[in-house]
Amino acid sequence: MVFVCKKCGKVYYYDVKRCIFCRSEVSEKKDSKLKVKAFTEVLVPSSDHKQVPYFDVLVEDDQGNLGIIKSGVRYDVGHTLEPAGKGKDKGSLHGLKMGIVGTGVTGLGIAEVALMHGMEVRLISRTEDRLKKAGEEISRFMAKFMAEKDKNEAMGRYRPSARIEDLGDVDLVIESVVEDKKTKDEYFRKLDKICKKNAVIATNTSSLSVDELGENLKDPSRFLGIHFFNPVPRMALVEVVKGKNTSEKTLNFAVEFAETLGKSPVITKDSPCFIVNRIMVPYLNEAAHIYGEGVASKEDIDKAVKLGLNHPMGPLALMDLIGLDVVLEIMNNIRNKTNDRKYLPAGIMVKMVKEGKLGRKSGQGFFKYS
């Protein structure tokens, strides 16, 4: 959506009624490709340690006009934004009909980004109450970055359901439930029967074996891992995990899907915790050890890492965001696969999980959340 002032020629990449400079009328201009010239990340802190990100993006259109758009997604300099509704003709997956199983932090994040990029999203949860709350959370998030009518259009493509059977006609399903193999196995056996034969079925697992999960499907060539990172709207990386049976067609589809969402995919083989978590988990565990040993306060540990290593979020706050139970499960999975003692969880982490202090989702982890 592009508007141009009829008098002074000022270009706007958001919905305006009149030019804010000369107050003259504006006319809607046919969309053109926009090239990202620069961007500024803005983090809005709040009392519960949650940093809400958005990006002011400087873009240039085909005629050389410069403008600024606000986005919940980070785009690299040089990235080309396709005109609305034109992506399908260019081979991108705008308009894709997809399903997401799970309404946790990651599942909602995937839904938010997919809706903002023109996709239809079927979000599956076991309870209507959770689906209602999920819809409210998604709507609030998009209201920060989209004009009201654009947000309403996006929410019109949101299809919540408590029936997994409603995924029968989607092109892609991403499972994003608890990091437990038995639970995931149960869902994949159902999805294999419900989904159409040419649908891609993916797991967002951060630590389990893609090959082992794929054994639940009659045709594992359509199965792979598509691992997003939290917070999904902010994090550019997606790990695309190729199992031993994953077809090239499925792999290429997953890469294109990630790119359509404005993400930067990397391809990895199926191995314990893939790339990032295998590197990150010992770092998080060491931060928990430092806190448990009383070396420094939780605030100073996070402050030291943010300022000393230039990380956007401290390790303790990050564990709260991910969920301490998830971090613990990842560590146990890697240790079971590698037999390496460096993945032995810190005692404080084990204790907190037993006490139900799981992070943001439980209201308390290393920090308290209201």
Side-chain angles (χ1 to χ4, degrees):
M1 183 181 301
V2 183
F3 295 89
V4 181
C5 176
K6 293 181 179 180
K7 183 177 180 180
C8 70
K10 176 69 177 176
V11 180
Y12 298 91
Y13 293 96
Y14 47 89
D15 193 358
V16 292
K17 304 303 179 187
R18 290 184 175 275
C19 177
I20 63 175
F21 289 92
C22 68
R23 305 303 299 167
S24 299
E25 291 185 354
V26 297
S27 60
E28 188 168 356
K29 175 186 173 184
K30 184 178 179 181
D31 287 349
S32 62
K33 290 182 180 180
L34 303 176
K35 179 166 285 189
V36 176
K37 306 296 289 185
F39 67 87
T40 298
E41 181 180 16
V42 180
L43 295 176
V44 183
S46 67
S47 58
D48 65 355
H49 301 275
K50 183 176 182 180
Q51 293 180 310
V52 181
Y54 71 86
F55 299 90
D56 285 329
V57 186
L58 178 66
V59 293
E60 182 180 37
D61 66 15
D62 294 339
Q63 288 74 46
N65 298 308
L66 295 174
I68 293 177
I69 62 174
K70 293 185 182 296
S71 173
V73 178
R74 170 178 170 167
Y75 295 105
D76 293 331
V77 173
H79 183 88
T80 299
L81 303 177
E82 294 286 348
K86 299 296 184 182
K88 198 75 175 179
D89 297 335
K90 300 297 181 180
S92 67
L93 299 176
H94 298 285
L96 180 76
K97 187 180 294 185
M98 68 170 298
I100 300 170
V101 180
T103 53
V105 174
T106 306
L108 291 190
I110 298 170
E112 289 162 354
V113 174
L115 288 169
M116 292 177 74
H117 285 80
M119 298 180 185
E120 179 182 318
V121 175
R122 307 269 181 90
L123 187 64
I124 305 298
S125 181
R126 289 179 174 176
T127 67
E128 295 289 351
D129 181 61
R130 179 54 191 148
L131 287 169
K132 180 181 178 181
K133 291 179 180 178
E136 292 170 351
E137 290 179 39
I138 292 170
S139 181
R140 280 196 301 270
F141 172 82
M142 291 196 295
K144 299 173 185 175
F145 308 107
M146 306 175 77
E148 183 69 17
K149 67 178 183 179
D150 294 331
K151 186 205 78 172
N152 292 338
E153 187 277 329
M155 289 303 296
R157 289 181 271 102
Y158 172 60
R159 307 278 192 272
S161 176
R163 299 180 67 255
I164 196 171
E165 291 79 10
D166 288 338
L167 298 178
D169 64 340
V170 299
D171 303 304
L172 166 68
V173 178
I174 298 179
E175 165 276 316
S176 185
V177 300
V178 63
E179 196 73 352
D180 175 72
K181 187 175 185 301
K182 289 184 179 179
T183 303
K184 291 180 186 290
D185 285 342
E186 179 184 345
Y187 275 110
F188 286 127
R189 284 193 288 269
K190 291 180 180 178
L191 290 170
D192 191 44
K193 296 176 182 178
I194 293 167
C195 295
K196 58 186 182 182
K197 292 183 178 180
N198 62 341
V200 171
I201 300 177
T203 176
N204 184 58
T205 184
S206 54
S207 63
L208 298 175
S209 168
V210 168
D211 286 333
E212 291 179 8
L213 293 174
E215 292 174 358
N216 293 288
L217 278 66
K218 292 180 180 178
D219 178 15
S221 71
R222 63 171 174 160
F223 185 77
L224 80 171
I226 303 179
H227 179 218
F228 288 83
F229 292 82
N230 282 315
V232 175
R234 178 180 171 189
M235 299 297 284
L237 180 66
V238 172
E239 287 179 328
V240 178
V241 186
K242 185 179 187 297
K244 63 183 179 182
N245 295 309
T246 304
S247 70
E248 288 300 315
K249 180 180 178 181
T250 299
L251 181 68
N252 293 336
F253 175 89
V255 169
E256 186 176 7
F257 167 72
E259 291 176 340
T260 303
L261 298 185
K263 303 300 184 184
S264 297
V266 295
I267 298 172
T268 175
K269 294 180 180 179
D270 183 27
S271 63
C273 291
F274 321 130
I275 302 171
V276 174
N277 279 339
R278 191 161 177 179
I279 296 170
M280 180 182 69
V281 165
Y283 147 74
L284 296 179
N285 195 44
E286 195 61 33
H289 273 301
I290 291 172
Y291 177 65
E293 293 167 10
V295 174
S297 69
K298 56 193 175 186
E299 292 83 5
D300 281 350
I301 292 170
D302 275 14
K303 181 179 179 180
V305 170
K306 288 165 67 177
L307 298 180
L309 299 178
N310 199 28
H311 286 199
M313 182 180 290
L316 302 182
L318 179 57
M319 279 190 276
D320 280 355
L321 176 65
I322 297 170
L324 271 74
D325 55 331
V326 175
V327 176
L328 181 60
E329 187 67 27
I330 292 171
M331 294 204 67
N332 287 331
N333 285 334
I334 302 180
R335 186 164 179 248
N336 290 337
K337 295 285 186 181
T338 64
N339 293 317
D340 193 331
R341 285 188 58 81
K342 71 183 176 187
Y343 297 108
L344 184 66
I348 186 69
M349 189 191 308
V350 176
K351 180 175 181 291
M352 290 173 69
V353 170
K354 287 181 179 179
E355 293 173 349
K357 297 176 181 178
L358 309 180
R360 289 184 184 178
K361 59 187 174 185
S362 67
Q364 183 173 353
F366 290 101
F367 300 96
K368 290 185 178 180
Y369 303 88
S370 56

